Amino acid sequence: MKKEELLQELNIIVKFFVFNKKTALSLLLLMLLSSFCAKAQISIDDISINEIKRQAGNGNVGLQFVLGNYYQNGKRVEKDLVQAKYWYGKAVNGGHEDAKAYLAMIYDDEKDYDKAYPLFLSYANNPQNERKNTVNS
């Protein structure tokens, strides 16, 4: 199958799923989408920024995190920390753990410790994150 055909099939899959605002379903669908992309050798960069924004706006927590990262780093969009904080905040509210750390780092850089500290603390106290942050020696 050619890359163009795979991209067309991917767009059909993305349009078929109406991403539910429930975190578990959104993350499951994002994992399925990521798995499909990996098998088809397609990256998130092959999905239009407008489609990413649409899905993020519809509650896809994983793509809210991606969009926050894009705005934070000026990837595919103009760098905008206000938008980065907005999308990371949406992802945090949807239960995205890594978004807590990224949002906290922005607040920390801005020296807004009252907002950074609770996010860092929440991230650090989640046992699921312990494995991510352990360095094997």
Side-chain angles (χ1 to χ4, degrees):
M1 197 176 255
K2 294 179 184 177
K3 187 173 182 179
E4 293 79 27
E5 292 170 346
L6 290 171
L7 284 172
Q8 188 175 27
E9 189 174 328
L10 175 63
N11 279 330
I12 291 168
I13 290 171
V14 168
K15 288 177 183 174
F16 175 76
F17 288 110
V18 175
F19 288 95
N20 192 310
K21 290 187 180 188
K22 294 182 181 173
T23 303
L25 183 56
S26 292
L27 293 176
L28 175 63
L29 291 174
L30 183 62
M31 286 179 1
L32 290 172
L33 182 61
S34 297
S35 175
F36 176 84
C37 288
K39 288 178 185 174
Q41 297 180 344
I42 298 171
S43 78
I44 190 78
D45 293 333
D46 292 322
I47 300 172
S48 78
I49 190 66
N50 289 334
E51 183 63 20
I52 291 171
K53 287 178 179 181
R54 188 179 75 72
Q55 293 297 334
N58 285 338
N60 183 305
V61 176
L63 290 180
Q64 289 170 348
F65 173 77
V66 167
L67 201 49
N69 192 269
Y70 282 177
Y71 278 110
Q72 181 182 12
N73 296 299
K75 181 178 180 181
R76 300 180 72 188
V77 294
E78 189 172 329
K79 185 173 181 174
D80 184 340
L81 292 181
V82 172
Q83 284 294 307
K85 289 187 288 188
Y86 172 80
W87 288 109
Y88 282 144
K90 298 276 283 180
V92 166
N93 290 337
H96 196 288
E97 282 298 308
D98 289 341
K100 290 179 185 178
Y102 282 73
L103 183 55
M105 286 186 277
I106 292 174
Y107 285 133
D108 188 64
D109 288 344
E110 294 174 342
K111 301 192 182 337
D112 190 344
Y113 304 118
D114 290 337
K115 290 182 182 173
Y117 180 73
L119 289 164
F120 277 132
L121 191 61
S122 175
Y123 182 81
N125 286 332
N126 187 328
Q128 293 177 340
N129 297 329
E130 186 175 314
R131 200 175 91 235
K132 291 183 206 176
N133 302 317
T134 302
V135 177
N136 295 328
S137 47

